[in-house]
Amino acid sequence: MADDHPNGFLKFSRDPIPYRDPTARVADYDEVYAKEWDEEQLREQGNRCMDCGVPTCMGGCPIGNIIPDFNDLVSRGNWFGALVRLHATNNFPEFTGYTCPAPCEPACVLAYNSAPVTIKSIERAIADRGWAEGWINPESPMTRTGKRVAVVGSGPAGLAAAQQLNRAGHEVTVFERDDEIGGLMVYGIPDFKFGKYQVKRRVDQLQAEGVLFRTGTNIGVNVPFQELRDKFNAVCLAIGAQLPREVPVAGRQLDGIYWAMEYLTKENRRQAGKKVQAMIDANGRNVVVLGGGDTGADCVATAHRQKARQVVQISINLRGSEERPGDNPWPEWPMIYRKTYAIEEGGVEEFNVNVTGFVDTNNDGAVDQLVYDRVEWTYEKKESRMVRTAMKVIEEGLTTPADIVLVAIGFKGAESAPFANTGIELTPRNTIKTDYNMMTNLPGVFAAGDANRGQSIVVWAIGEGRDVARCIDIYLMGGSQLPPSLRTPNPPIGRL
Ligand SMILES: Cc1cc2nc3c(=O)[nH]c(=O)nc-3n(C[C@H](O)[C@H](O)[C@H](O)COP(=O)(O)OP(=O)(O)OC[C@H]3O[C@@H](n4cnc5c(N)ncnc54)[C@H](O)[C@@H]3O)c2cc1C
Ligand code: SF4
């Protein structure tokens, strides 16, 4: 089959690894994706890649994965070679192979007038195969530099930074305030979207390579930040951007209104068999999720697994169109409506809704009703994004029953309060301010991931972790053998 390579795109149609049937998967907490995939099918999919002279897919991938190379290697059945190619740009390809929204795919040249290569499925399959074959093993450095680096935060940014810095020979300690390593990959993203065994085996790999982990260590709260600066040659802040955005309307103080992250984390802990204080369980309840994004979708899917009576997901935004708008051409990310995996499983989506209040109808101190206006928006395109400009109310004072309200309307920056008296500068968006070399205004203190970019996606966090490792290596050693990323800062040696 793969011997008539190239031109597989003329012979095979797009066929990604599927999700499990929605009615079956909503009854359990196992991963929503099909467990098994067919080698021959994946080789055909790799064969669809046209090996374009200008691989625009790579431009769509925030870490510049060398997509045509691994597509080709998979099509020829060289899975080990494909894994090596993938690891050259991505420390944790299963993190992205399972959770990435895959901005590479709409940027694939085939997507111009046809169905793109199923890059994300191929990436997942390479990583799955690597683990199954025992090809993913600890890679410890040959020599040690004697330099010590503290990484604060153990999400994908902190873990990628730690692995790269350790492989450059530095002694790395990761400090994490939670009781588990993994950041949002463990506490936040539901178990059915990303199985926690996938984080554990990477943590084991890093540990075997020599990275030290300290959980239950809230820097700036139970360990002074200055202690890290005194004991380490460099510090990397990879603390995420988990400060939730508030919904400042009447009745917000009522019981039954929760932050999405509190809700999702409690279910993560229950799934892990850990003690959960004041569990939030939607069983038999009317649930309203505020926010039309991914966090909201994860709340919808969790509420269904908890057997909620009704789930409504509310978005203030306009519903995306079915067709790509004319002013949103390839290879831009298409501004279209996408049915989420969560809504495939059930629930109702409401768009153009502005929440105006929460009501306690029986005076028991808990929310019973959500009050909202139906609105219309005018939009303007700014730098390939549609930005809302004005809102018009169409219908006022509508209500819907709500026993549980989950607030998932976004995040407003890094939780920087523990660093308030350190002199670290923040940006107007409440992220940690860094320069071209990813260093803060404090010498030797760097920032990466969501803490630097604002709430983003896993692949960006991994890319930032890789980049900050190179910046720190140059800061410590005057040069670096760590690979520069194709997309994010690439400081020339000696610039610092
Ligand atoms: C519910 C949800 C679902 C998502 N789903 C997806 C998805 O499907 N695909 C995708 O690509 N992206 C998804 N994202 C986004 C993605 O998870 C993040 O962009 C990514 O995890 C950011 O990585 P990070 O390492 O920068 O930060 P985080 O993962 O947020 O990790 C930061 C870590 O720092 C720790 N920390 C903070 N302050 C301190 C301190 N003072 N001392 C010690 N430790 C500290 C925190 O406890 C945390 O463990 C989702 C996000 C959410 C909230
Ligand atoms: S990391 Fe995401 S964007 Fe990059 S190749 Fe994989 S699926 Fe595509």
Side-chain angles (χ1 to χ4, degrees):
M1 139 310 2
D3 44 24
D4 66 345
H5 185 92
N7 292 344
F9 66 99
L10 296 174
K11 200 169 158 191
F12 308 114
S13 6
R14 177 180 158 96
D15 189 10
I17 301 173
Y19 279 49
R20 293 163 59 212
D21 177 62
T23 48
R25 71 187 192 224
V26 75
D28 63 46
Y29 284 82
D30 292 344
E31 281 174 323
V32 290
Y33 329 96
K35 249 195 186 68
E36 310 291 336
W37 44 265
D38 178 56
E39 166 158 5
E40 201 61 11
Q41 173 200 337
L42 268 292
R43 288 185 62 180
E44 285 175 3
Q45 294 303 305
N47 206 319
R48 291 186 71 238
C49 178
M50 299 188 290
D51 195 17
C52 309
V54 179
T56 43
C57 55
M58 283 178 63
C61 172
I63 48 177
N65 272 347
I66 311 162
I67 297 165
D69 276 20
F70 66 63
N71 283 341
D72 179 60
L73 288 160
V74 164
S75 78
R76 294 171 197 282
N78 185 348
W79 292 88
F80 182 78
L83 182 69
V84 172
R85 212 54 118 247
L86 193 45
H87 271 148
T89 52
N90 187 348
N91 295 63
F92 315 121
E94 65 281 11
F95 288 17
T96 44
Y98 280 77
T99 72
C100 193
C104 54
E105 292 190 4
C108 168
V109 174
L110 276 174
Y112 183 76
N113 62 355
S114 171
V117 173
T118 175
I119 301 165
K120 178 178 168 179
S121 290
I122 293 173
E123 183 169 355
R124 173 200 154 171
I126 297 168
D128 281 357
R129 182 74 181 254
W131 283 110
E133 296 281 355
W135 292 333
I136 302 177
N137 290 304
E139 293 172 35
S140 302
M142 305 286 277
T143 53
R144 288 285 175 185
T145 62
K147 305 281 186 192
R148 304 183 72 214
V149 183
V151 175
V152 184
S154 69
L159 291 181
Q163 186 163 60
Q164 293 295 93
L165 285 162
N166 183 68
R167 287 181 179 175
H170 307 304
E171 185 195 301
V172 183
T173 308
V174 178
F175 296 91
E176 170 55 55
R177 65 182 174 184
D178 280 333
D179 60 354
E180 284 291 341
I181 295 295
L184 288 171
M185 304 303 293
V186 167
Y187 289 140
I189 296 183
D191 293 56
F192 48 83
K193 207 165 92 175
F194 194 66
K196 306 315 167 198
Y197 69 96
Q198 307 226 40
V199 182
K200 169 81 172 63
R201 62 191 180 187
R202 281 295 179 182
V203 174
D204 290 347
Q205 182 198 30
L206 265 71
Q207 230 156 6
E209 288 174 1
V211 175
L212 305 168
F213 290 102
R214 301 275 178 272
T215 51
T217 321
N218 199 345
I219 301 300
V221 178
N222 58 20
V223 172
F225 174 61
Q226 191 54 42
E227 195 175 308
L228 299 193
R229 295 197 73 197
D230 294 343
K231 291 187 175 162
F232 293 85
N233 301 97
V235 178
C236 172
L237 299 177
I239 59 172
Q242 298 187 19
L243 208 57
R245 194 177 300 283
E246 186 51 281
V247 48
V249 297
R252 172 64 181 90
Q253 79 293 344
L254 291 171
D255 288 345
I257 304 173
Y258 306 100
W259 297 121
M261 279 296 295
E262 184 189 355
Y263 174 64
L264 294 172
T265 301
K266 283 179 193 276
E267 189 55 71
N268 291 137
R269 292 186 69 85
R270 177 155 74 174
Q271 292 306 313
K274 295 191 175 189
K275 203 168 146 207
V276 187
Q277 272 174 355
M279 181 67 198
I280 309 166
D281 199 321
N283 192 323
R285 321 290 301 279
N286 292 311
V287 177
V288 177
V289 177
L290 304 189
D294 285 347
T295 305
D298 290 345
C299 290
V300 170
T302 302
H304 278 133
R305 279 160 182 76
Q306 292 179 348
K307 312 234 177 310
R309 181 197 296 168
Q310 169 183 290
V311 186
V312 181
Q313 185 178 14
I314 280 177
S315 172
I316 197 167
N317 289 320
L318 183 77
R319 188 184 194 275
S321 54
E322 295 300 323
E323 294 284 317
R324 186 197 268 273
D327 60 351
N328 171 218
W330 175 91
E332 284 180 6
W333 178 255
M335 304 291 188
I336 52 170
Y337 171 75
R338 292 177 181 81
K339 192 179 230 185
T340 62
Y341 79 97
I343 292 295
E344 271 178 7
E345 295 169 355
V348 178
E349 282 175 297
E350 292 278 358
F351 295 91
N352 281 8
V353 165
N354 185 31
V355 174
T356 55
F358 304 106
V359 183
D360 170 13
T361 52
N362 57 5
N363 291 321
D364 65 353
V367 65
D368 301 303
Q369 242 180 25
L370 181 109
V371 187
Y372 64 95
D373 294 342
R374 183 80 58 190
V375 298
E376 242 177 39
W377 289 97
T378 34
Y379 282 80
E380 225 172 68
K381 195 173 180 193
K382 282 192 186 147
E383 289 168 4
S384 86
R385 287 174 68 105
M386 297 301 280
V387 180
R388 289 194 307 252
T389 48
M391 184 181 92
K392 195 168 127 198
V393 175
I394 303 296
E395 244 182 313
E396 255 179 311
L398 302 168
T399 60
T400 191
D403 307 318
I404 291 182
V405 176
L406 302 169
V407 182
I409 56 171
F411 297 87
K412 55 177 192 188
E415 289 179 71
S416 56
F419 305 93
N421 298 320
T422 60
I424 286 188
E425 285 179 22
L426 302 179
T427 66
R429 292 171 54 233
N430 208 26
T431 54
I432 297 173
K433 191 172 175 186
T434 55
D435 63 13
Y436 182 78
N437 300 299
M438 302 181 80
M439 190 155 78
T440 68
N441 59 311
L442 304 182
V445 179
F446 295 75
D450 283 3
N452 186 37
R453 287 182 63 78
Q455 184 68 226
S456 183
I457 52 175
V458 171
V459 59
W460 270 114
I462 293 173
E464 288 241 335
R466 293 173 65 82
D467 286 332
V468 82
R470 182 173 151 89
C471 291
I472 293 172
D473 196 25
I474 293 172
Y475 170 79
L476 295 175
M477 310 302 289
S480 181
Q481 297 296 314
L482 293 174
S485 115
L486 294 184
R487 293 295 300 265
T488 33
N490 174 18
I493 289 171
R495 186 183 169 112
L496 277 161

